[in-house]
Amino acid sequence: MIKVKMFGVVRLGSGVKEFECSLSEAPTVSACFDVLNIKSAPGSDKFTFGDSQVFVNHTRTTKKNFALKDGDEVWLMSPAAGG
Amino acid sequence: MSKYDGYMGKVLFIDLSKKTFGEFPWSDEDRKRTLGGKIMAADILYHHIHPGMTAWDEDNWLVISTGPLTGCGVPSSSRFNISTISPLTGVLTSSNSGGDFGLMLKRCGYDAAIISGKASSPTRIHITEDDVQFLDATDLWGLECTPAQEALPKEFAKLVIGPAGENKVLYSAVLSGERCSGRGGVGAVFGDKMLKAVTAKGFKHPSVYDKGELVKLCRKWTNKMRNHAISGRQLPKLGTAGLVSPMEARGLLATKNFSDGHFEDFDMVSGETLSETKLLRNSGCTTCVMQCTRRCEVDGKDVKGPELEILGLMGPNILNNDLQKIIEWNYEIDEMGMDAISTAGTIAFAMELNEKGLYDSGLQFGKNDNISQMISDIAHRKGAGDELANGSRKMAEKFGGMDFAIQSKGMELSAYEPRRAVGQGLGYATSNRGGCHLNAGYLVFIEGLGLDIDNLTPNGKGALCVMFQNLMEAISAAGVCLFTSYPIFPSYVFDHPNAPITKVVTWAMPHLGPIIKLMNQHGNVLQLYIPLIPHTKAIELATGMRMKLGTYLTIGERGWNTERVANMVLGQKPGADTLPKKLTDTCQDPSDERTKVPLDEMLKSFYANRQWVNGAPTAKVLKRLKIDIPDVDAYPYA
């Protein structure tokens, strides 16, 4: 199973905090967004790999087709700043 | 008066000892050199201080200053600054705040107010267009910040201190409404002068050089901010609290007094959880489109909610996962009138002192049932609170533990763990006022949070740090919020964090060191206007003063150097730009040698960029920047 957690604008916009899916549903990080967009409520914001920062097991990846493996934890989040 | 619009043209000088007031000489040439705000204050203080002077001296001045854009209708321009000699660090501090006091000071006809001397009994200063009154404040003395403000007429803009300032807690704040001038203990200087409050009420407005064009510019600027990923989406939706999760993802979330950068329960105190479970509504400063303040409930009251710093430092940094407790502590700290960062940092340090058997204050990591009492005890200097009221550096001098006292120049660091953003570490070390993330240059923004440049390499960080420090200094001096600087970076790179162009930008930045160094040292040649930095055009349209990018950056550089040379007059020695060994000698990840701050290496580059020797501006630099060489024998570089 893959555990996917949402943070920042991705979480507030989709209304989804986290979900689990099988490796066949989300073989790549990009596919995690497809699952997210199905799970998010109708009318909520949709997100893609292109507009989000992605971390796999605490390491940032910028590769859309980064292959996941069973047990991976994926974080989808938005850039942030403050002070 | 001034030939420039935007300014009110007068600086008020108040002598609390003699109960007199008058006008302080400040020329248009001074305005051109310093703009206003913290740079103006640094210049005024630099020409006043002398070696051996301390925060408690009767002739230590408080300088409350605005910028030329304050009150001119520019986005997020209600800022004002308070500078003085800090009782916490012994050198200059400057504390910038929102709230309405700066706007009202200008409506009284003043760009700044200098407060000298000491009152013999609790006093409130009341400023109007024609008069300054010295009023008895005995009835206010002892009140917390909200009751003190509620006891004053609603129509006045107010600055007040709480019990902490009265008891000279070294990191006491001054509050204007709910906004804090916290860093460096300006509230303690108010308290030492027996100054409980300053109020102001006026009806004047600054004239504007080209109102039509300024309105057009501001409309574009506002739209840009509203459509930007950071100022238009993240900050309005999550506030600075939205940084907890990104910091955890990158190992930047200070945990257990900066022993780690990860906290398992981070999401229990994250901005997302705050929004989902505690948020009543947003609010913010006057004239601000971001409205980044979170409103939460404490005892049935609608109060200002926690920002990132206290979420991090009163959460992971003391191993606490109770969000409601943080909301309550945040409110209590504000009511007592203390700087949240230094309060929380000192509490975490006391916990580690206790864990190591060096000093038992009763505070322990993971134990949160005695924190509220400790906050009150610090403010009233009771029991162990009397020790904590002096900050972590002074505690370390007394009890030991300097290697893990997380401070720079005596000021506690904010919540960003610099071993995963080493440029931020350089900024913390070199910051003139001490361990401040903003005075540091805030490189963490490009070292993982907003952009994703190599966070562990020292390459290019000296140059980038200097450039950001100078730019932020100038933005602050103009009177606008530093958050207006985010749209300097095109939203595209945040909207498309994985796009090839974003990757190129983030890869290239650390390699641009030599080019940025040229800009840092010869910035004045950049006599051009860059639409990405609308601040310069806004200054031109508001004041009529010619302001191109190069001039602007040079003013920022002048401010930085003025603060530094003032600090050296006050006794700061070479070697002051440092960090505790926990951050420079111990790796956050023992298996990765790069996860510590390579400070010595970066300092060489930083000093080269600033053309300094051992942390001191040389006479050549001072001359170029039109800063007087200090008239003291001890200054070794004159």
Side-chain angles (χ1 to χ4, degrees):
Chain A
M1 295 295 280
I2 309 292
K3 187 174 229 177
V4 184
K5 293 185 174 181
M6 273 56 65
F7 297 101
V9 174
V10 181
R11 177 152 135 194
L12 295 190
S14 68
V16 181
K17 186 175 178 182
E18 62 179 65
F19 62 83
E20 285 192 340
C21 61
S22 66
L23 189 57
S24 59
E25 284 178 289
T28 64
V29 292
S30 176
C32 292
F33 288 92
D34 299 332
V35 181
L36 169 66
N37 289 333
I38 291 167
K39 289 183 180 293
S40 58
S44 58
D45 297 338
K46 303 297 177 197
F47 295 92
T48 66
F49 175 82
D51 56 32
S52 304
Q53 293 185 344
V54 180
F55 291 77
V56 179
N57 303 328
H58 264 95
T59 302
R60 172 91 193 268
T61 180
T62 56
K63 292 177 183 161
K64 188 175 180 178
N65 294 319
F66 186 94
L68 298 172
K69 58 184 187 306
D70 233 9
D72 278 348
E73 184 164 301
V74 182
W75 291 9
L76 313 180
M77 59 174 57
S78 44
Chain B
M1 294 306 291
S2 171
K3 72 176 179 184
Y4 296 118
D5 296 296
Y7 295 95
M8 304 311 292
K10 286 200 296 184
V11 173
L12 178 64
F13 186 86
I14 298 168
D15 189 327
L16 263 173
S17 301
K18 297 176 185 164
K19 292 188 171 23
T20 58
F21 68 95
E23 194 173 329
F24 182 83
W26 194 248
S27 68
D28 278 341
E29 185 55 33
D30 294 326
R31 291 180 185 94
K32 263 179 75 176
R33 281 190 311 108
T34 69
L35 270 185
K38 74 192 297 260
I39 302 179
M40 171 190 195
D43 192 87
I44 289 170
L45 287 168
Y46 173 52
H47 288 97
H48 171 65
I49 57 170
H50 53 76
M53 196 170 177
T54 76
W56 310 132
D57 288 6
E58 188 168 350
D59 63 345
N60 177 27
W61 288 354
L62 283 158
V63 182
I64 305 166
S65 50
T66 64
L69 299 183
T70 309
C72 287
V74 171
S76 310
S77 62
S78 68
R79 311 296 295 189
F80 67 96
N81 174 83
I82 306 179
S83 290
T84 189
I85 299 176
S86 163
L88 184 67
T89 66
V91 293
L92 289 197
T93 190
S94 55
S95 198
N96 191 285
S97 172
D100 59 357
F101 190 83
L103 290 169
M104 196 59 89
L105 185 63
K106 284 187 92 162
R107 286 184 187 165
C108 291
Y110 300 107
D111 294 312
I114 300 168
I115 301 172
S116 170
K118 289 188 186 186
S120 54
S121 60
T123 299
R124 166 164 71 97
I125 293 173
H126 183 57
I127 303 168
T128 59
E129 292 173 33
D130 309 313
D131 197 15
V132 174
Q133 294 171 279
F134 300 85
L135 305 167
D136 177 49
T138 306
D139 291 348
L140 299 175
W141 202 257
L143 292 182
E144 295 175 4
C145 290
T146 298
Q149 294 189 79
E150 285 174 349
L152 294 164
K154 198 175 177 183
E155 67 270 23
F156 295 171
K158 307 165 188 86
L159 295 178
V160 302
I161 58 168
E166 296 170 10
N167 293 307
K168 295 195 271 187
V169 173
L170 299 191
Y171 41 86
S172 312
V174 171
L175 270 79
S176 170
E178 292 181 322
R179 316 304 300 188
C180 289
S181 299
R183 305 245 64 193
V186 292
V189 179
F190 267 60
D192 185 56
K193 293 181 181 301
M194 302 211 78
L195 181 60
K196 177 69 179 180
V198 183
T199 52
K201 176 74 178 168
F203 299 94
K204 293 182 178 177
H205 287 277
S207 57
V208 173
Y209 178 72
D210 190 337
K211 196 167 185 179
E213 286 302 311
L214 184 63
V215 168
K216 280 187 205 167
L217 177 76
C218 290
R219 203 171 286 143
K220 277 188 197 167
W221 192 353
T222 301
N223 283 338
K224 192 173 167 189
M225 286 175 66
R226 284 199 172 121
N227 292 318
H228 194 270
I230 304 296
S231 55
R233 289 197 285 282
Q234 182 242 321
L235 286 168
K237 285 181 188 293
L238 288 149
T240 60
L243 283 168
V244 171
S245 305
M247 286 164 67
E248 165 64 26
R250 294 161 175 88
L252 286 164
L253 188 61
T255 300
K256 202 184 179 194
N257 196 33
F258 287 72
S259 296
D260 201 351
H262 296 289
F263 183 54
E264 192 177 348
D265 293 339
F266 75 94
D267 202 13
M268 294 174 74
V269 297
S270 70
E272 296 85 343
T273 300
L274 178 71
S275 287
E276 289 158 355
T277 65
K278 304 288 183 187
L279 184 68
L280 298 176
R281 62 190 173 91
N282 288 10
S283 69
C285 299
T286 315
T287 76
C288 183
V289 298
M290 289 174 274
Q291 300 292 297
C292 66
T293 302
R294 326 268 84 197
R295 310 294 308 182
C296 297
E297 187 177 313
V298 172
D299 295 334
K301 291 189 286 260
D302 177 340
V303 303
K304 186 185 80 179
E307 296 190 46
L308 161 74
E309 301 302 342
I310 195 160
L311 285 170
L313 295 173
M314 283 296 225
N317 206 39
I318 60 169
L319 302 187
N320 167 58
N321 60 14
D322 188 332
L323 179 58
Q324 184 58 34
K325 284 278 185 201
I326 300 175
I327 293 168
E328 290 166 12
W329 295 333
N330 183 56
Y331 177 67
E332 289 162 10
I333 289 169
D334 279 358
E335 282 302 294
M336 293 296 149
M338 298 196 289
D339 174 40
I341 295 174
S342 282
T343 305
T346 305
I347 285 173
F349 176 62
M351 287 177 172
E352 188 159 354
L353 279 178
N354 195 4
E355 186 177 79
K356 290 190 159 54
L358 294 170
Y359 174 64
D360 184 0
S361 57
L363 296 169
Q364 293 172 27
F365 287 116
K367 180 173 183 286
N368 63 19
D369 60 354
N370 57 355
I371 303 282
S372 276
Q373 186 60 50
M374 182 56 78
I375 290 167
S376 175
D377 287 352
I378 293 170
H380 294 93
R381 284 190 169 274
K382 284 184 183 166
D386 191 31
E387 301 291 352
L388 271 76
N390 294 326
S392 50
R393 183 172 70 178
K394 285 194 168 56
M395 285 187 79
E397 286 166 357
K398 186 168 180 179
F399 301 112
M402 195 62 86
D403 290 353
F404 57 87
I406 307 300
Q407 51 78 35
S408 167
K409 300 185 181 74
M411 183 185 279
E412 287 70 22
L413 268 55
S414 39
Y416 306 93
E417 217 282 32
R419 290 177 295 182
R420 292 283 185 175
V422 299
Q424 181 67 31
L426 173 66
Y428 278 141
T430 55
S431 161
N432 280 323
R433 72 174 180 178
C436 166
H437 53 298
L438 297 171
N439 199 213
Y442 201 56
L443 282 200
V444 69
F445 173 56
I446 58 172
E447 287 183 304
L449 294 179
L451 295 177
D452 217 356
I453 74 169
D454 186 341
N455 54 325
L456 300 180
T457 181
N459 294 339
K461 299 295 170 67
L464 286 163
C465 192
V466 168
M467 183 177 73
F468 278 78
Q469 285 174 343
N470 290 347
L471 180 60
M472 290 171 79
E473 189 90 349
I475 289 172
S476 186
V480 291
C481 178
L482 289 173
F483 290 0
T484 62
S485 59
Y486 293 128
I488 288 173
F489 294 88
S491 192
Y492 181 88
V493 296
F494 307 110
D495 292 332
H496 303 89
N498 307 308
I501 192 166
T502 307
K503 289 181 187 174
V504 170
V505 169
T506 54
W507 171 84
M509 284 182 93
H511 296 88
L512 294 176
I515 295 168
I516 297 169
K517 186 177 178 182
L518 274 175
M519 279 176 59
N520 288 334
Q521 297 181 346
H522 307 283
N524 206 32
V525 300
L526 298 168
Q527 291 301 315
L528 44 88
Y529 169 61
I530 295 179
L532 286 171
I533 307 177
H535 306 70
T536 56
K537 180 65 84 180
I539 293 167
E540 285 192 340
L541 295 172
T543 66
M545 187 185 289
R546 190 173 188 275
M547 186 59 58
K548 303 302 177 198
L549 179 62
T551 311
Y552 196 53
L553 289 171
T554 302
I555 290 171
E557 184 186 10
R558 182 174 298 124
W560 243 83
N561 279 268
T562 305
E563 288 172 349
R564 176 55 59 112
V565 77
N567 285 354
M568 304 204 77
V569 170
L570 290 169
Q572 182 177 304
K573 299 282 186 284
D577 294 327
T578 190
L579 289 172
K581 284 187 178 174
K582 187 186 240 188
L583 304 177
T584 56
D585 292 19
T586 309
C587 294
Q588 189 197 80
D589 175 357
S591 67
D592 187 348
E593 184 62 22
R594 295 206 310 160
T595 58
K596 60 185 179 184
V597 182
L599 186 58
D600 291 343
E601 187 179 347
M602 291 190 294
L603 269 180
K604 282 180 197 157
S605 162
F606 179 89
Y607 291 156
N609 268 270
R610 286 214 173 273
Q611 298 173 295
W612 287 0
V613 176
N614 286 340
T618 58
K620 188 178 166 190
V621 172
L622 295 177
K623 195 174 169 188
R624 172 171 62 82
L625 293 171
K626 297 177 185 166
I627 300 170
D628 297 332
I629 293 167
D631 185 20
V632 289
D633 296 338
Y635 195 73
Y637 304 101

